[in-house]
Structures are given as structure tokens and as C-alpha cells.
């Protein structure tokens, strides 16, 4: 009896985990699709994005780079990583 309850709980937890991953992937896909539409990139591939970046001036590139950093930045804040960044800057 205990074993089947445990299996059921683990299965429910796995379903929730898969749903969270699918939701995050859909959000990121919408973000990238929005970038392609905003910058009028016809070729929906990394090569099309690279071609558009080559055409951009520095200000446009920094704006695009900031958008990607904001969207894809890790939400994990480890103290060890912060120290490594500070050491790298020095």
C-alpha cells in the first residue's frame, strides 16, 4: 500500500515538473518570436538573427543584447558566482 502511494506522489510530482518545463519553453519561444517580429527578421533561424545583428549599429545591438540577457539570465543567485564575477572584474 505504501509503495503505491509513494509511486503516485512521485508521478504527480513528475507531471508538475514537466508542465513547468513546458511552460518555460513556451514563454521563451514567444520571446524569441517577438524579437523576430520586432526587428523584422524574415529568416526564422539563428542565421537570420546573426545577419540582422551584423547590420545593427552599436546602440541597437546593446539594446537587443540587454533584452536577451534579461530574458535568459539565470534566476539563481549563488554567493560563489558573485565572488567569481567580482574577481574577474578586478
Amino acid at each position: 500500500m505504501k509503495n503505491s502511494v509513494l509511486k503516485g506522489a512521485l508521478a504527480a510530482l513528475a507531471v508538475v515538473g514537466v508542465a513547468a518545463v513546458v511552460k518555460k519553453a513556451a514563454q521563451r519561444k514567444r520571446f524569441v518570436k517577438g524579437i523576430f517580429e520586432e526587428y523584422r527578421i524574415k529568416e526564422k533561424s539563428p542565421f537570420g538573427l546573426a545577419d540582422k545583428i551584423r547590420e545593427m549599429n552599436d546602440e541597437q545591438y546593446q539594446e537587443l543584447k540587454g533584452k536577451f540577457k534579461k530574458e535568459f539570465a539565470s534566476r539563481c543567485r549563488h554567493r560563489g558566482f558573485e565572488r567569481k564575477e567580482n574577481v574577474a572584474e578586478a
Side-chain angles (χ1 to χ4, degrees), residues 7-19:
K7 285 181 183 179
L10 288 175
L13 186 62
V15 168
V16 170
V18 168

Side-chain angles (χ1 to χ4, degrees), residues 2 9 13 15 20-22 25 28 33-34 40 44-45 48-49 52 65 69 79 88:
K2 285 183 182 182
L13 186 62
V15 168
V21 168
V22 168
R28 289 185 172 195
K33 187 176 180 180
R40 295 181 188 94
K44 307 291 187 216
S45 72
L49 181 61
K52 184 65 176 184
K65 186 175 162 183
K69 275 188 174 183
R79 283 181 259 163

Side-chain angles (χ1 to χ4, degrees), residues 6-90:
L6 181 61
K7 285 181 183 179
L10 288 175
L13 186 62
V15 168
V16 170
V18 168
V21 168
V22 168
K23 180 181 175 185
K24 188 66 175 181
Q27 287 174 341
R28 289 185 172 195
K29 185 176 181 179
R30 274 193 306 268
F31 170 77
V32 171
K33 187 176 180 180
I35 291 292
F36 282 117
E37 289 175 5
E38 180 180 346
Y39 290 96
R40 295 181 188 94
I41 301 171
K42 294 176 185 168
E43 186 181 344
K44 307 291 187 216
S45 72
F47 300 111
L49 181 61
D51 289 341
K52 184 65 176 184
I53 288 172
R54 283 189 208 103
E55 297 170 3
M56 292 179 172
N57 60 26
D58 287 338
E59 183 180 313
Q60 291 172 328
Y61 174 69
Q62 291 303 325
E63 179 185 334
L64 178 65
K65 186 175 162 183
K67 288 179 184 180
F68 273 100
K69 275 188 174 183
K70 182 180 176 187
E71 179 66 24
F72 294 110
S74 175
R75 304 299 191 271
C76 264
R77 301 289 182 232
H78 296 288
R79 283 181 259 163
F81 291 136
E82 291 173 6
R83 273 188 245 127
K84 287 180 184 176
E85 289 174 2
N86 292 337
V87 171
E89 291 175 1

